[in-house]
Structure formats: C-alpha cells, structure tokens
Amino acid sequence: MQNKQERTSLHGLWSSRWAYILAATGSAVGLGNIWKFPYITGEHGGGAFVLFYLFCILLIGVPVLMAEVLIGRRGRRMPASSIQHLAIESKVSKHWSVIGWLGMTTGFLILTFYVVIAGWALAYVKLAGLDSFHQLSAQQVDSIFSALSSDPVALIAWSSIILLITMVIVGRGVQHGLERAVSYLMPMMFFILVIIVGYSMSTSGFERAVDFLFTPNWSELTASGALVALGHSCFTLSLASGIMMMYGAYLPNKTSIVKTSLFVAFADTFIALLAGLAIFPIVFSNGLEAGAGPGLIFVTLPIAFGQMPFGHEVGTLFFVMLVFAALTSAISLIEAVVAWLVERTTMTRIQAATLAGLTVWLLSLGTVFSLSTPEAVSFSLDILGLELQGTFFEFLDYITANIMLPLGALLIAVFTAWILKSEVTADEIKTHSLLYMTWKNLMRYLAPAAITLVFLNALGVI
Ligand code: TRP
C-alpha cells in the first residue's frame, strides 16, 4: 500500500467533490448531447438506436469512465504518465501508455470540427438575439442555415472566435471563473430545455416523437447504427481521450468513483434525452426530415423560437448556453495537448495554447470547406472493408468517434481489468464486493466482447 499522504497531484486537488462533478459534467455535456445525439438518432431510425445507445452507456460507458478516473487518481499525473506509473506498479510493460497518446490525438482531432459546430451555435446567438426567426416557416429557417453553412468566411470567423475564447481560457488556466459560470449555466440549460420540451408537447408531433424515440423497432438498427451508438456513448461521456483520467488525477482519495461516475453519466444521458424530446416533435409537426444530418437542431429549434411566447428571449438564452456547454467541452478536448507541451518542452502555457490553437485552426479549415464546398473535399476510401464516402468532416467525425474512441475504450477495459493488479483497482474503486465484481466482469468480458462484436459486425465480418 502506498502512503495515502503522498498521493496528491502536483497540480493540487479539486476543492470539493462538487467541483469535480461539475467539471466532469461540463466536459461530458456539450454539443454531443444537443447537436449530435438528436441528429444521429434521426439518421439511424430512433427507438432501437436509442435503446442500444443507453445499453452502451450503462454497460460500457460507465464502467470505462470509472476505469479512467481510477487510473487518473492512482497515477496523479498526465494520462500517458499515469498509465505508465500504474503499469510499473503492476510490473507490466510501460508501453500501455500508448492508450494515453491515442486518446490525446483523438481529442485533438475532434476539436478541429467541434469548434466549427460551436461556431454555428455562436452565429445563432446573434441571429436569435436579433429576433431573426420571428414567425418564420420551416423553409425560411432552412434557408438561413444553408446560407450560413455555405459561407466559408462566416464559418471561419465564428469558429475562430470560439477557438480564441478556448485558447484564452486554457492559456490562462482560469478554470475557476469557468467553473463558476458552469455551475449556473448547467442548471439553467436544463431549465430552458424543459421549457422547449413544454412547447414541443403542445405541437401535433409530440406523440409521434415519443414513439419514435422510445419504441424500439429492432429491424431498423443496422450494424453501422450500432457502431455509431457505441462510438457516441464514448463521445458523449468524453471517454478515451485522457480527459477523465486528468480530472481523476485531481480527485480526493475519499471521493466515491462509483457514485460520481453514475451521476455524471445520468446527467449527461438525461440532457441528451431531453434534447431529443425537444427536437423531434418540431421535426414531425413541421414535416421536416428526421435524418437531416448535422444541421438538424439548427433547422428545428429556431422554428419553435419563432413561434412560442418569449421565443426571442428563450432562443437567445438557449444558444448562449449551447455555446457555453460547447466551451466547457472544448477546453477539455485541448487541455491534454497543452499540458503535455508544457511538461515536455520549454513552452509556457500561453505559448503551448497558441501553438495548439493555430494547429486546430488550420485543420478546422477542412471542416469549414466540407460544409461550404463539399465537392472540393470529398473522397471515398476503403479502410479494412469499411467503405467511407463523404467529406473531410464526415470522415474525421467517423474515424474519431466510431473507430478511435471505441478502440481506446477497448484498450482501457483490457488494461484495467486484465493487466492491472486487482488490489490496485479494488483499492481505488472502494465499493462493496458485489459491485466491484460487477464492474470487473463488465470490463473483463462484456466491454471487450461487445466492442469487438460491434466492430466486426460493422466491417461485415460477421
Ligand atoms: N463530451 C462532449 C460532448 O458531448 C465532447 C467532448 C469533450 C469529448 N471531451 C471529449 C468527446 C473527449 C470525446 C472525447 O459534446
């Protein structure tokens, strides 16, 4: 046993359990819940996809989240170094730290398109603020969105602002101000979502939406849909990118990993489902396309804001909050790279944030042009039998969320449940033996088997 007194991180600890929960929830709740979850649900047929996604969250996502937090808390270092430390403690190869590097790369790549989508949200703050959606028809709202996404200059401008804010926050490390902001914004975001759901309940499409979201029709769940659901369960919980390990590194020893992880997963899932309940009634009552793709929320919600009482105010607040939710996730996507540059080079935090930011900016142009001039950046590729076709953005989104994240989760499951010593994991998880054994068995058997099956299935091997 290590001396408990020694086990605090170099960077200090969270001031309270609540501070950690807030930061972890702030990272988890973001565009993934409000933008991505509804549109992928729409693309993959609803009910069965949603149920499979919930299954992935509970049986794979939550146990992997616990594993990441335990690795971070035990190692008290940066992800790759924490893993290396634990590997040494369990007398196994140090090369398991590759999980940390893979995660850092994935997070970085995700950020390159995340800032562009967050830029959309920021553009909508302005539009909603000017009451541009007042009494517009679905077609009119749709043409506003098309105009924005086909204008590369506007996309670059909005996403650059988002990136700049992210860099300033990360560069200064002013997490306290942000933490405080999140503690107000998260409950408010939840409250506004409830208001929009209230409006949606009054529309003619509500029943159909509930049916669409919660009645599973298993024949609609395709192999690729299952892979997308699995990938998204990792994406939405911010897994496999090292960030939950980093947040775990600042977690006091006595905080329960089980309880806090369950809370974060529950809050995250609840917000995603609320977003679905807010959006699909509007889709159905306005004759819109559920499978409209990434633009879905930007062509549905403004219709509600244009028609409901106080829609101007509610709409503006909603997009402001979406931007905040995106920012608290964006900082977590870049933090690992910045901290790594600071630790391994002579750069200051500001310099590291600037370098990382400029690189993200350059790569984000790929997503910008994928939206404005899709023909120019489209290609088709065949990776191990997976035929990928589409724009640079679609490709990046697919590879990161559906391949790199599940692969990372698989490696984390194998590492914690098969490679690490049981004393180490039991010592960190600190729960009664039945729960511990459930966790361990999920990580040993179910998570690796399910991830492998979903992969093989999507590849058409089985
Ligand atoms: N979870 C966030 C969302 O749903 C996005 C995010 C933040 C993320 N950090 C991550 C996704 C790390 C993958 C990996 O919007």
Side-chain angles (χ1 to χ4, degrees), residues 156-210:
I156 292 174
W158 291 115
S159 55
S160 303
I161 298 176
I162 294 282
L163 192 56
L164 205 69
I165 302 174
T166 310
M167 295 320 17
V168 169
I169 297 170
V170 173
R172 288 183 160 181
V174 283
Q175 269 159 10
H176 284 299
L178 205 90
E179 243 176 60
R180 208 160 308 138
V182 181
S183 67
Y184 295 109
L185 288 161
M186 286 291 180
M188 239 157 87
M189 165 129 208
F190 168 75
F191 186 65
I192 290 207
L193 267 178
V194 173
I195 296 180
I196 306 172
V197 173
Y199 165 82
S200 292
M201 285 174 84
S202 73
T203 64
S204 59
F206 188 70
E207 252 171 70
R208 201 172 141 205
V210 171

Side-chain angles (χ1 to χ4, degrees), residues 14-64:
W14 297 109
S15 52
S16 67
R17 182 174 73 146
W18 197 234
Y20 159 74
I21 290 182
L22 223 56
T25 313
S27 166
V29 175
L31 296 172
N33 305 61
I34 292 167
W35 160 71
K36 196 168 180 189
F37 172 73
Y39 100 71
I40 55 177
T41 299
E43 282 181 338
H44 293 97
F49 176 87
V50 173
L51 216 70
F52 188 74
Y53 160 78
L54 293 177
F55 162 88
C56 291
I57 291 274
L58 192 68
L59 299 180
I60 302 173
V62 173
V64 171

Side-chain angles (χ1 to χ4, degrees), residues 26-36 103 106-107 110 114 232 234-244 268 325-326 328-333 405:
S27 166
V29 175
L31 296 172
N33 305 61
I34 292 167
W35 160 71
K36 196 168 180 189
T106 318
I110 289 176
Y114 207 84
H232 188 63
C234 298
F235 185 95
T236 194
L237 292 177
S238 305
L239 298 180
S241 64
I243 193 61
M244 290 303 183
D268 185 81
T328 55
S329 302
I331 55 171
S332 78
L333 282 162
L405 293 181

Side-chain angles (χ1 to χ4, degrees), residues 4-270:
K4 294 270 187 232
Q5 299 273 288
E6 278 172 11
R7 295 179 49 213
T8 57
S9 114
L10 278 176
H11 316 276
L13 297 179
W14 297 109
S15 52
S16 67
R17 182 174 73 146
W18 197 234
Y20 159 74
I21 290 182
L22 223 56
T25 313
S27 166
V29 175
L31 296 172
N33 305 61
I34 292 167
W35 160 71
K36 196 168 180 189
F37 172 73
Y39 100 71
I40 55 177
T41 299
E43 282 181 338
H44 293 97
F49 176 87
V50 173
L51 216 70
F52 188 74
Y53 160 78
L54 293 177
F55 162 88
C56 291
I57 291 274
L58 192 68
L59 299 180
I60 302 173
V62 173
V64 171
L65 175 58
M66 292 177 192
E68 289 203 26
V69 179
L70 98 76
I71 292 173
R73 184 162 76 181
R74 189 73 173 188
R76 295 278 189 224
R77 290 167 175 81
M78 301 293 309
S81 323
S82 278
I83 296 175
Q84 194 169 345
H85 174 79
L86 267 77
I88 293 169
E89 192 187 13
S90 286
K91 303 195 176 60
V92 294
S93 164
K94 299 189 294 198
H95 297 303
W96 283 99
S97 58
V98 69
I99 303 173
W101 300 114
L102 172 74
M104 201 167 82
T105 313
T106 318
F108 194 78
L109 291 176
I110 289 176
L111 188 62
T112 69
F113 65 82
Y114 207 84
V115 291
V116 180
I117 312 298
W120 276 349
L122 190 59
Y124 271 59
V125 169
K126 180 177 166 205
L127 289 167
L130 297 172
D131 207 8
S132 317
F133 305 125
H134 192 66
Q135 301 292 352
L136 294 194
S137 68
Q139 282 71 27
Q140 288 166 314
V141 170
D142 195 41
S143 56
I144 292 187
F145 180 70
S146 311
L148 172 66
S149 41
S150 55
D151 180 355
V153 177
L155 293 176
I156 292 174
W158 291 115
S159 55
S160 303
I161 298 176
I162 294 282
L163 192 56
L164 205 69
I165 302 174
T166 310
M167 295 320 17
V168 169
I169 297 170
V170 173
R172 288 183 160 181
V174 283
Q175 269 159 10
H176 284 299
L178 205 90
E179 243 176 60
R180 208 160 308 138
V182 181
S183 67
Y184 295 109
L185 288 161
M186 286 291 180
M188 239 157 87
M189 165 129 208
F190 168 75
F191 186 65
I192 290 207
L193 267 178
V194 173
I195 296 180
I196 306 172
V197 173
Y199 165 82
S200 292
M201 285 174 84
S202 73
T203 64
S204 59
F206 188 70
E207 252 171 70
R208 201 172 141 205
V210 171
D211 189 52
F212 176 75
L213 281 171
F214 299 112
T215 310
N217 175 358
W218 292 107
S219 64
E220 296 226 17
L221 184 66
T222 58
S224 66
L227 182 60
V228 172
L230 170 69
H232 188 63
S233 66
C234 298
F235 185 95
T236 194
L237 292 177
S238 305
L239 298 180
S241 64
I243 193 61
M244 290 303 183
M245 293 184 203
M246 280 215 61
Y247 284 2
Y250 313 143
L251 196 65
N253 288 326
K254 60 181 191 314
T255 307
S256 158
I257 291 181
V258 175
K259 282 188 208 151
T260 48
S261 301
L262 283 171
F263 179 92
V264 172
F266 180 80
D268 185 81
T269 307
F270 200 61

